[in-house]
Coordinates of all heavy atoms in Angstrom, one line a residue:
M1 N -1.9 11.1 -7.1 CA -1.9 9.6 -7.2 C -3.0 9.0 -6.3 O -3.1 9.3 -5.1 CB -0.4 9.1 -6.7 CG -0.2 7.7 -7.1 SD 1.5 7.3 -6.6 CE 2.4 8.1 -8.0
N2 N -3.8 8.0 -6.9 CA -5.0 7.5 -6.1 C -4.8 6.0 -6.0 O -4.1 5.4 -6.8 CB -6.2 7.8 -6.9 CG -6.6 9.3 -6.9 OD1 -6.0 10.1 -6.1 ND2 -7.5 9.6 -7.7
C3 N -5.5 5.5 -5.0 CA -5.5 4.0 -4.7 C -6.2 3.4 -5.9 O -7.2 3.7 -6.3 CB -6.3 3.8 -3.5 SG -6.5 2.0 -3.1
P4 N -5.5 2.3 -6.5 CA -6.1 1.7 -7.6 C -7.3 0.7 -7.2 O -8.0 0.3 -8.1 CB -5.0 0.8 -8.2 CG -4.0 0.7 -7.1 CD -4.2 1.8 -6.2
Y5 N -7.6 0.6 -6.0 CA -8.7 -0.2 -5.5 C -9.9 0.7 -5.2 O -11.0 0.4 -5.7 CB -8.4 -1.0 -4.3 CG -7.2 -1.9 -4.5 CD1 -5.9 -1.6 -4.2 CD2 -7.3 -3.2 -5.1 CE1 -4.8 -2.4 -4.4 CE2 -6.3 -4.0 -5.4 CZ -5.1 -3.6 -5.0 OH -3.9 -4.4 -5.2
C6 N -9.7 1.7 -4.4 CA -10.8 2.6 -3.9 C -10.7 4.1 -4.4 O -11.6 4.8 -3.9 CB -10.9 2.4 -2.3 SG -9.7 3.4 -1.5
N7 N -9.7 4.4 -5.0 CA -9.5 5.8 -5.5 C -9.3 6.8 -4.4 O -9.3 8.0 -4.7 CB -10.8 6.2 -6.2 CG -10.4 7.2 -7.4 OD1 -9.3 7.0 -8.1 ND2 -11.3 8.1 -7.8
F8 N -8.8 6.3 -3.3 CA -8.4 7.2 -2.2 C -7.1 7.9 -2.6 O -6.2 7.4 -3.3 CB -8.1 6.5 -1.0 CG -7.6 7.2 0.3 CD1 -8.5 7.9 1.0 CD2 -6.2 7.2 0.5 CE1 -8.1 8.7 2.1 CE2 -5.9 8.1 1.7 CZ -6.8 8.7 2.4
N9 N -7.1 9.3 -2.4 CA -5.9 10.1 -2.8 C -4.7 9.9 -1.8 O -4.9 10.2 -0.7 CB -6.4 11.5 -2.9 CG -5.4 12.4 -3.6 OD1 -4.3 12.7 -3.0 ND2 -5.6 12.7 -4.8
F10 N -3.6 9.6 -2.4 CA -2.4 9.3 -1.7 C -1.5 10.6 -1.5 O -0.4 10.6 -1.0 CB -1.5 8.2 -2.2 CG -2.1 6.8 -2.0 CD1 -2.1 5.9 -3.0 CD2 -2.5 6.5 -0.7 CE1 -2.6 4.7 -2.8 CE2 -3.0 5.2 -0.6 CZ -3.0 4.3 -1.6
N11 N -1.8 11.6 -2.2 CA -0.9 12.7 -2.3 C -0.3 13.3 -1.0 O 0.9 13.5 -0.9 CB -1.4 13.9 -3.1 CG -1.6 13.5 -4.7 OD1 -1.0 12.5 -5.1 ND2 -2.2 14.4 -5.3
K12 N -1.2 13.3 0.0 CA -0.7 13.8 1.3 C 0.3 12.9 1.9 O 1.3 13.3 2.5 CB -2.0 13.8 2.2 CG -2.0 15.0 3.1 CD -3.3 15.3 3.7 CE -3.9 14.1 4.5 NZ -5.3 14.3 5.0
V13 N 0.0 11.5 1.8 CA 0.9 10.5 2.3 C 2.2 10.5 1.5 O 3.3 10.4 2.2 CB 0.3 9.1 2.1 CG1 1.1 8.1 2.8 CG2 -1.1 9.1 2.7
L14 N 2.2 10.7 0.2 CA 3.3 10.5 -0.6 C 4.3 11.8 -0.7 O 5.4 11.7 -1.2 CB 2.9 10.1 -2.0 CG 2.4 8.6 -2.1 CD1 1.8 8.4 -3.5 CD2 3.5 7.6 -1.8
S15 N 3.7 12.8 -0.1 CA 4.5 14.1 -0.1 C 5.9 13.9 0.6 O 6.8 14.6 0.5 CB 3.8 15.2 0.4 OG 3.4 15.0 1.7
S16 N 5.9 12.9 1.5 CA 7.0 12.7 2.3 C 8.2 11.9 1.6 O 9.3 11.9 1.8 CB 6.8 12.0 3.6 OG 6.2 10.8 3.3
V17 N 7.7 11.4 0.4 CA 8.7 10.6 -0.4 C 9.1 11.4 -1.6 O 8.2 12.1 -2.2 CB 7.9 9.3 -0.9 CG1 9.0 8.4 -1.6 CG2 7.3 8.4 0.2
S18 N 10.3 11.6 -2.0 CA 10.7 12.4 -3.0 C 10.4 11.8 -4.4 O 10.2 10.5 -4.6 CB 12.2 12.7 -2.9 OG 12.9 11.5 -3.4
K19 N 10.2 12.7 -5.3 CA 9.9 12.2 -6.7 C 11.0 11.3 -7.2 O 10.7 10.3 -7.9 CB 9.6 13.4 -7.7 CG 8.3 13.9 -7.5 CD 7.9 14.9 -8.8 CE 6.5 15.2 -8.8 NZ 6.3 16.5 -9.3
K20 N 12.2 11.5 -6.9 CA 13.3 10.8 -7.3 C 13.2 9.3 -6.8 O 13.3 8.4 -7.6 CB 14.6 11.4 -6.8 CG 15.8 11.1 -7.7 CD 17.0 11.8 -7.2 CE 18.2 11.4 -7.8 NZ 19.5 11.9 -7.2
E21 N 12.8 9.2 -5.6 CA 12.6 7.9 -5.0 C 11.4 7.1 -5.7 O 11.5 5.9 -6.0 CB 12.2 8.0 -3.5 CG 13.4 8.2 -2.6 CD 12.9 8.3 -1.2 OE1 12.7 7.3 -0.6 OE2 12.8 9.5 -0.7
L22 N 10.3 7.9 -6.0 CA 9.2 7.3 -6.6 C 9.5 6.8 -8.1 O 8.9 5.8 -8.5 CB 8.0 8.2 -6.7 CG 7.3 8.6 -5.5 CD1 6.2 9.6 -5.6 CD2 6.7 7.3 -4.8
Q23 N 10.4 7.5 -8.8 CA 10.8 7.0 -10.0 C 11.9 6.1 -10.2 O 12.3 5.6 -11.3 CB 11.0 8.3 -10.9 CG 9.7 9.0 -11.4 CD 9.9 10.4 -11.7 OE1 11.0 11.0 -11.6 NE2 8.9 11.0 -12.0
A24 N 12.4 5.7 -9.0 CA 13.4 4.6 -9.0 C 12.9 3.3 -9.6 O 11.7 3.1 -9.6 CB 13.9 4.5 -7.6
E25 N 13.8 2.4 -10.0 CA 13.4 1.2 -10.6 C 12.6 0.3 -9.7 O 11.8 -0.4 -10.1 CB 14.7 0.4 -11.0 CG 15.5 1.1 -12.2 CD 14.9 0.7 -13.6 OE1 14.4 -0.4 -13.6 OE2 15.1 1.5 -14.4
E26 N 12.9 0.3 -8.4 CA 12.4 -0.6 -7.5 C 10.9 -0.5 -7.3 O 10.4 0.6 -7.4 CB 13.2 -0.7 -6.2 CG 13.1 0.6 -5.5 CD 14.0 0.7 -4.3 OE1 14.0 -0.3 -3.5 OE2 14.8 1.6 -4.2
L27 N 10.3 -1.5 -6.9 CA 8.8 -1.4 -6.6 C 8.7 -1.0 -5.1 O 9.4 -1.4 -4.3 CB 8.3 -2.9 -6.7 CG 8.3 -3.4 -8.1 CD1 8.0 -4.9 -8.1 CD2 7.5 -2.7 -9.1
I28 N 7.7 -0.1 -5.0 CA 7.4 0.4 -3.6 C 6.1 -0.1 -3.2 O 5.0 0.4 -3.9 CB 7.6 1.9 -3.5 CG1 8.9 2.4 -4.0 CG2 7.3 2.4 -2.1 CD1 9.0 4.0 -4.3
P29 N 5.9 -0.8 -2.2 CA 4.6 -1.3 -1.7 C 3.9 -0.1 -0.9 O 4.6 0.7 -0.2 CB 4.8 -2.4 -0.8 CG 6.2 -2.3 -0.4 CD 7.0 -1.5 -1.3
V30 N 2.6 0.1 -1.3 CA 1.9 1.2 -0.6 C 0.7 0.6 0.0 O -0.1 -0.1 -0.6 CB 1.4 2.3 -1.7 CG1 0.6 3.3 -1.0 CG2 2.6 2.9 -2.3
L31 N 0.4 0.9 1.3 CA -0.7 0.4 2.0 C -1.8 1.5 2.0 O -1.5 2.6 2.5 CB -0.4 0.0 3.4 CG -1.5 -0.5 4.2 CD1 -2.0 -1.9 3.8 CD2 -1.0 -0.7 5.6
C32 N -2.9 1.3 1.5 CA -4.0 2.3 1.5 C -4.6 2.4 2.9 O -5.0 1.5 3.4 CB -5.1 1.9 0.5 SG -6.4 3.1 0.4
E33 N -4.6 3.6 3.3 CA -5.2 3.9 4.7 C -6.8 3.8 4.7 O -7.4 3.8 5.8 CB -4.7 5.1 5.4 CG -5.1 6.3 4.6 CD -4.6 7.6 5.4 OE1 -5.4 8.0 6.2 OE2 -3.6 8.1 5.0
H34 N -7.3 3.8 3.5 CA -8.8 3.9 3.4 C -9.3 2.4 3.2 O -10.4 2.1 3.9 CB -9.2 4.7 2.2 CG -10.6 5.0 2.1 ND1 -11.5 4.5 1.2 CD2 -11.4 5.8 2.9 CE1 -12.7 4.9 1.4 NE2 -12.7 5.7 2.4
C35 N -8.7 1.7 2.3 CA -9.3 0.3 2.1 C -8.4 -0.9 2.6 O -8.9 -2.0 2.5 CB -9.7 0.1 0.6 SG -8.2 0.0 -0.4
A36 N -7.2 -0.5 3.1 CA -6.2 -1.5 3.6 C -5.7 -2.4 2.5 O -5.1 -3.4 2.9 CB -6.8 -2.2 4.8
D37 N -5.9 -2.2 1.3 CA -5.3 -2.9 0.2 C -4.0 -2.5 -0.1 O -3.5 -1.3 0.1 CB -6.2 -3.0 -1.0 CG -7.2 -4.0 -1.0 OD1 -6.9 -5.2 -0.6 OD2 -8.4 -3.8 -1.3
I38 N -3.1 -3.4 -0.6 CA -1.7 -3.1 -1.0 C -1.7 -2.9 -2.4 O -2.1 -3.7 -3.2 CB -0.7 -4.2 -0.5 CG1 -0.8 -4.3 1.1 CG2 0.6 -3.9 -0.9 CD1 -0.1 -5.4 1.6
S39 N -1.0 -1.8 -2.9 CA -0.7 -1.5 -4.3 C 0.9 -1.3 -4.4 O 1.6 -1.2 -3.4 CB -1.5 -0.3 -4.8 OG -1.4 0.7 -3.9
L40 N 1.3 -1.2 -5.6 CA 2.8 -1.0 -5.9 C 3.0 0.2 -6.7 O 2.2 0.5 -7.7 CB 3.3 -2.2 -6.7 CG 3.6 -3.5 -5.9 CD1 4.1 -4.5 -7.0 CD2 4.6 -3.3 -4.8
I41 N 4.1 0.9 -6.4 CA 4.5 2.0 -7.2 C 5.7 1.5 -8.0 O 6.7 1.1 -7.4 CB 4.8 3.2 -6.4 CG1 3.6 3.8 -5.7 CG2 5.4 4.4 -7.4 CD1 4.0 5.0 -4.7
E42 N 5.6 1.6 -9.3 CA 6.6 1.1 -10.2 C 7.0 2.3 -11.1 O 6.2 2.6 -11.9 CB 6.2 -0.1 -10.9 CG 7.3 -0.8 -11.8 CD 6.9 -2.0 -12.5 OE1 5.6 -2.2 -12.8 OE2 7.6 -2.9 -13.0
K43 N 8.2 2.7 -11.0 CA 8.7 3.8 -11.8 C 7.8 5.0 -11.7 O 7.4 5.6 -12.8 CB 9.0 3.4 -13.2 CG 10.1 2.3 -13.3 CD 10.2 1.9 -14.7 CE 11.3 0.7 -14.8 NZ 11.3 0.0 -16.1
G44 N 7.3 5.3 -10.5 CA 6.4 6.4 -10.4 C 4.9 6.3 -10.7 O 4.1 7.2 -10.6
I45 N 4.6 5.0 -11.2 CA 3.2 4.8 -11.5 C 2.6 3.7 -10.6 O 3.2 2.6 -10.4 CB 3.0 4.3 -13.0 CG1 3.6 5.4 -13.9 CG2 1.7 3.8 -13.3 CD1 3.9 4.9 -15.3
I46 N 1.4 4.1 -10.0 CA 0.7 3.2 -9.1 C -0.1 2.2 -9.7 O -0.7 2.5 -10.8 CB 0.0 4.0 -7.9 CG1 -0.4 3.1 -6.8 CG2 -1.3 4.7 -8.7 CD1 -0.7 3.9 -5.6
R47 N 0.0 0.9 -9.4 CA -1.0 -0.2 -9.9 C -1.3 -1.2 -8.8 O -0.6 -1.3 -7.8 CB -0.1 -0.8 -11.1 CG 1.1 -1.5 -10.7 CD 1.6 -2.3 -11.9 NE 2.9 -2.9 -11.6 CZ 3.2 -4.0 -10.9 NH1 2.2 -4.7 -10.5 NH2 4.4 -4.5 -10.8
K48 N -2.3 -2.0 -9.2 CA -2.6 -3.0 -8.3 C -1.5 -4.1 -8.3 O -0.7 -4.3 -9.2 CB -3.9 -3.8 -8.8 CG -5.1 -2.9 -8.7 CD -6.4 -3.6 -9.2 CE -7.6 -2.6 -9.0 NZ -8.8 -3.3 -9.5
I49 N -1.4 -4.8 -7.2 CA -0.4 -5.8 -6.9 C -0.9 -7.1 -7.4 O -2.2 -7.4 -7.4 CB 0.0 -5.9 -5.5 CG1 1.3 -6.6 -5.3 CG2 -1.2 -6.5 -4.6 CD1 1.9 -6.5 -3.9
D50 N -0.1 -7.9 -8.2 CA -0.6 -9.2 -8.5 C -0.4 -10.3 -7.5 O 0.4 -10.0 -6.6 CB -0.1 -9.7 -10.0 CG 1.3 -10.1 -10.0 OD1 1.7 -10.7 -9.1 OD2 1.9 -9.9 -11.1
K51 N -0.9 -11.4 -7.7 CA -1.0 -12.5 -6.6 C 0.4 -12.9 -6.2 O 0.7 -13.0 -5.1 CB -1.7 -13.7 -7.2 CG -3.0 -13.9 -6.5 CD -3.6 -15.3 -7.0 CE -4.8 -15.7 -6.1 NZ -5.5 -16.8 -6.6
M52 N 1.3 -13.1 -7.2 CA 2.7 -13.5 -6.9 C 3.4 -12.5 -6.2 O 4.2 -12.8 -5.3 CB 3.4 -13.9 -8.2 CG 3.1 -15.4 -8.7 SD 3.7 -15.7 -10.3 CE 5.5 -15.6 -10.0
E53 N 3.3 -11.2 -6.6 CA 3.9 -10.1 -5.9 C 3.4 -10.0 -4.6 O 4.3 -9.8 -3.6 CB 3.7 -8.7 -6.6 CG 4.5 -8.8 -8.0 CD 4.0 -7.6 -8.9 OE1 2.8 -7.1 -8.7 OE2 4.8 -7.1 -9.7
L54 N 2.2 -10.2 -4.3 CA 1.7 -10.1 -2.9 C 2.2 -11.2 -2.0 O 2.6 -11.0 -1.0 CB 0.0 -10.2 -3.0 CG -0.6 -10.0 -1.7 CD1 -0.3 -8.6 -1.1 CD2 -2.1 -10.2 -1.8
E55 N 2.3 -12.4 -2.6 CA 2.9 -13.5 -1.8 C 4.4 -13.2 -1.5 O 4.8 -13.5 -0.4 CB 2.9 -14.8 -2.7 CG 1.5 -15.4 -2.9 CD 0.7 -15.6 -1.6 OE1 1.3 -16.1 -0.7 OE2 -0.4 -15.2 -1.5
A56 N 5.1 -12.7 -2.5 CA 6.6 -12.3 -2.3 C 6.6 -11.2 -1.2 O 7.5 -11.3 -0.2 CB 7.2 -11.8 -3.5
I57 N 5.8 -10.2 -1.1 CA 5.8 -9.2 -0.2 C 5.4 -9.7 1.3 O 6.0 -9.3 2.3 CB 4.9 -8.0 -0.6 CG1 5.7 -7.1 -1.6 CG2 4.4 -7.1 0.5 CD1 4.9 -5.9 -2.1
K58 N 4.5 -10.7 1.3 CA 4.2 -11.2 2.5 C 5.2 -11.9 3.2 O 5.2 -12.1 4.4 CB 2.9 -12.1 2.3 CG 1.5 -11.3 2.2 CD 0.3 -12.2 2.1 CE -1.0 -11.3 2.2 NZ -2.1 -12.2 2.0
E59 N 6.2 -12.4 2.4 CA 7.3 -13.1 3.0 C 8.5 -12.2 3.5 O 9.5 -12.5 4.1 CB 7.9 -14.0 1.9 CG 7.0 -15.2 1.6 CD 6.7 -16.0 2.8 OE1 7.5 -16.4 3.6 OE2 5.4 -16.3 3.0
S60 N 8.3 -10.9 3.1 CA 9.4 -9.9 3.4 C 9.3 -9.3 4.7 O 8.2 -9.2 5.3 CB 9.4 -8.8 2.3 OG 8.3 -8.0 2.4
P61 N 10.4 -8.9 5.4 CA 10.3 -8.3 6.6 C 9.5 -7.0 6.7 O 8.9 -6.7 7.7 CB 11.9 -8.0 7.0 CG 12.6 -8.7 6.0 CD 11.8 -9.1 4.9
I62 N 9.6 -6.2 5.7 CA 8.8 -5.0 5.6 C 7.3 -5.3 5.8 O 6.6 -4.5 6.5 CB 9.1 -4.2 4.4 CG1 8.5 -2.8 4.5 CG2 8.5 -4.8 3.1 CD1 8.8 -1.8 3.4
Y63 N 6.8 -6.4 5.3 CA 5.4 -6.7 5.5 C 5.1 -7.1 6.9 O 4.2 -6.7 7.6 CB 5.0 -7.8 4.5 CG 3.5 -8.1 4.6 CD1 2.6 -7.4 3.9 CD2 3.0 -9.1 5.4 CE1 1.2 -7.6 4.0 CE2 1.7 -9.3 5.5 CZ 0.8 -8.6 4.8 OH -0.5 -8.8 5.0
K64 N 6.0 -8.0 7.4 CA 5.6 -8.6 8.8 C 5.8 -7.5 9.9 O 5.1 -7.5 10.8 CB 6.6 -9.7 9.0 CG 6.1 -10.9 8.2 CD 7.1 -12.1 8.3 CE 6.6 -13.2 7.4 NZ 7.6 -14.1 7.0
E65 N 6.9 -6.7 9.6 CA 7.1 -5.7 10.7 C 6.4 -4.4 10.6 O 6.2 -3.6 11.6 CB 8.7 -5.4 10.7 CG 9.4 -6.6 11.3 CD 11.0 -6.4 11.0 OE1 11.3 -5.3 10.9 OE2 11.6 -7.4 10.9
F66 N 5.9 -4.0 9.4 CA 5.5 -2.7 9.2 C 4.0 -2.8 8.5 O 3.1 -2.2 9.0 CB 6.4 -2.0 8.2 CG 6.0 -0.6 7.8 CD1 6.0 0.4 8.8 CD2 5.8 -0.2 6.5 CE1 5.6 1.7 8.4 CE2 5.4 1.0 6.0 CZ 5.3 2.0 7.1
L67 N 3.9 -3.4 7.3 CA 2.6 -3.3 6.6 C 1.5 -4.1 7.3 O 0.4 -3.6 7.5 CB 2.7 -3.8 5.2 CG 3.6 -3.0 4.3 CD1 3.8 -3.6 2.9 CD2 2.9 -1.6 4.0
E68 N 1.9 -5.4 7.9 CA 0.8 -6.2 8.3 C 0.2 -5.6 9.6 O -1.0 -5.6 9.7 CB 1.3 -7.6 8.6 CG 0.3 -8.6 9.0 CD 0.7 -10.0 9.2 OE1 1.8 -10.2 9.7 OE2 -0.1 -10.9 8.8
P69 N 0.9 -5.1 10.6 CA 0.4 -4.5 11.8 C -0.5 -3.3 11.4 O -1.5 -3.1 12.0 CB 1.6 -4.1 12.7 CG 2.8 -4.8 12.2 CD 2.5 -5.1 10.7
I70 N -0.1 -2.4 10.5 CA -0.9 -1.3 10.1 C -2.1 -1.7 9.5 O -3.2 -1.2 9.8 CB 0.0 -0.3 9.2 CG1 1.3 0.2 10.0 CG2 -0.9 0.8 8.8 CD1 2.1 1.0 9.1
R71 N -2.0 -2.8 8.6 CA -3.2 -3.2 7.9 C -4.2 -3.8 8.9 O -5.4 -3.5 8.7 CB -2.7 -4.3 6.9 CG -3.8 -4.8 6.0 CD -3.1 -5.5 4.7 NE -4.3 -5.7 3.8 CZ -5.0 -6.9 3.8 NH1 -4.7 -7.8 4.5 NH2 -6.0 -6.9 3.0
K72 N -3.8 -4.5 9.9 CA -4.7 -5.0 10.9 C -5.3 -3.9 11.6 O -6.5 -4.0 11.9 CB -3.9 -5.9 11.8 CG -3.6 -7.4 11.2 CD -3.0 -8.2 12.2 CE -2.9 -9.7 11.6 NZ -1.8 -10.4 12.4
G73 N -4.5 -2.8 11.9 CA -5.2 -1.6 12.6 C -6.2 -1.0 11.8 O -7.2 -0.7 12.2
I74 N -6.0 -0.8 10.4 CA -6.9 -0.2 9.7 C -8.2 -1.1 9.6 O -9.3 -0.6 9.6 CB -6.3 0.0 8.2 CG1 -5.2 1.0 8.2 CG2 -7.5 0.5 7.2 CD1 -4.4 1.1 6.9
L75 N -8.0 -2.4 9.4 CA -9.1 -3.3 9.2 C -10.0 -3.3 10.6 O -11.2 -3.3 10.5 CB -8.6 -4.7 8.9 CG -8.1 -4.8 7.5 CD1 -7.5 -6.2 7.4 CD2 -9.2 -4.7 6.4
A76 N -9.3 -3.2 11.7 CA -10.0 -3.2 13.0 C -10.8 -1.9 13.2 O -11.9 -1.9 13.6 CB -9.0 -3.4 14.1
Y77 N -10.2 -0.8 12.7 CA -10.9 0.5 12.7 C -12.1 0.4 11.8 O -13.1 1.0 12.2 CB -9.9 1.5 12.2 CG -10.5 2.9 12.1 CD1 -10.8 3.6 13.3 CD2 -10.8 3.5 10.9 CE1 -11.3 4.9 13.2 CE2 -11.3 4.8 10.8 CZ -11.6 5.5 12.0 OH -12.2 6.7 11.9
M78 N -11.9 -0.1 10.6 CA -13.0 -0.2 9.7 C -14.1 -1.1 10.3 O -15.3 -0.7 10.1 CB -12.6 -0.8 8.3 CG -11.8 0.2 7.4 SD -10.8 -0.6 6.2 CE -12.0 -1.4 5.2
T79 N -13.8 -2.1 10.9 CA -14.8 -3.0 11.5 C -15.6 -2.3 12.6 O -16.8 -2.3 12.7 CB -14.1 -4.3 12.1 OG1 -13.4 -4.8 11.1 CG2 -15.2 -5.3 12.5
R80 N -14.9 -1.5 13.4 CA -15.4 -0.8 14.5 C -16.4 0.2 13.9 O -17.5 0.5 14.5 CB -14.4 0.0 15.4 CG -13.9 -0.9 16.5 CD -13.3 -0.1 17.6 NE -12.2 0.9 17.1 CZ -11.0 0.4 17.0 NH1 -10.6 -0.7 17.3 NH2 -10.1 1.3 16.5
K81 N -16.0 0.9 12.7 CA -16.9 1.9 12.2 C -18.2 1.4 11.7 O -19.2 2.1 11.7 CB -16.1 2.7 11.1 CG -16.0 4.1 11.4 CD -15.2 4.9 10.4 CE -15.1 4.5 9.0 NZ -14.2 5.4 8.2
L82 N -18.1 0.1 11.2 CA -19.3 -0.5 10.6 C -20.3 -0.9 11.7 O -21.5 -1.2 11.4 CB -18.9 -1.7 9.8 CG -18.2 -1.4 8.5 CD1 -17.7 -2.6 7.8 CD2 -19.1 -0.6 7.5
Q83 N -19.8 -1.1 12.9 CA -20.8 -1.7 13.9 C -21.7 -0.6 14.5 O -21.3 0.5 14.6 CB -19.9 -2.3 15.1 CG -19.4 -3.7 14.7 CD -18.3 -4.3 15.6 OE1 -17.9 -3.5 16.4 NE2 -18.0 -5.5 15.3
Ligands
ZN1 ZN1 -7.7 2.1 -1.2

């Protein structure tokens, strides 16, 4: 499974999640550690997130407590690497 934005391979990251979980009905947000973009896994298939879904996720506790701090960390790391 690759990032739909930058093609980074997620297999290493996703090995901790069972296939059964990945194929569940619910949407699973995935934060790419390479480009810091958020994608969604829907029934085991990864795809880009649309604007409305992104707004909804940004309102959720999982984003504020988990995704946003990590995303900021990745972006800060990327900025340092570019300097
Ligand atoms: Zn990516």
Side-chain angles (χ1 to χ4, degrees):
M1 198 175 282
N2 292 347
C3 174
Y5 301 96
C6 72
N7 215 31
F8 179 78
N9 191 288
F10 285 137
N11 289 349
K12 223 167 50 183
V13 186
L14 291 171
S15 59
S16 58
V17 186
S18 76
K19 274 195 175 151
K20 210 175 165 189
E21 278 178 85
L22 287 179
Q23 278 158 3
E25 291 275 330
E26 62 189 310
L27 299 169
I28 304 168
V30 181
L31 179 69
C32 177
E33 64 176 275
H34 190 253
C35 68
D37 269 319
I38 297 167
S39 45
L40 281 178
I41 298 175
E42 186 177 20
K43 296 175 187 172
I45 296 163
I46 194 159
R47 63 170 172 82
K48 290 182 183 179
I49 194 166
D50 73 33
K51 254 188 168 176
M52 275 172 64
E53 288 167 334
L54 187 62
E55 292 307 311
I57 279 182
K58 281 185 172 175
E59 293 304 312
S60 68
I62 190 172
Y63 184 84
K64 286 172 184 154
E65 288 166 26
F66 179 67
L67 292 175
E68 191 176 36
I70 297 173
R71 190 162 187 265
K72 281 185 178 160
I74 295 169
L75 291 172
Y77 176 74
M78 281 161 59
T79 309
R80 273 202 304 275
K81 244 183 16 184
L82 290 173
Q83 281 167 352

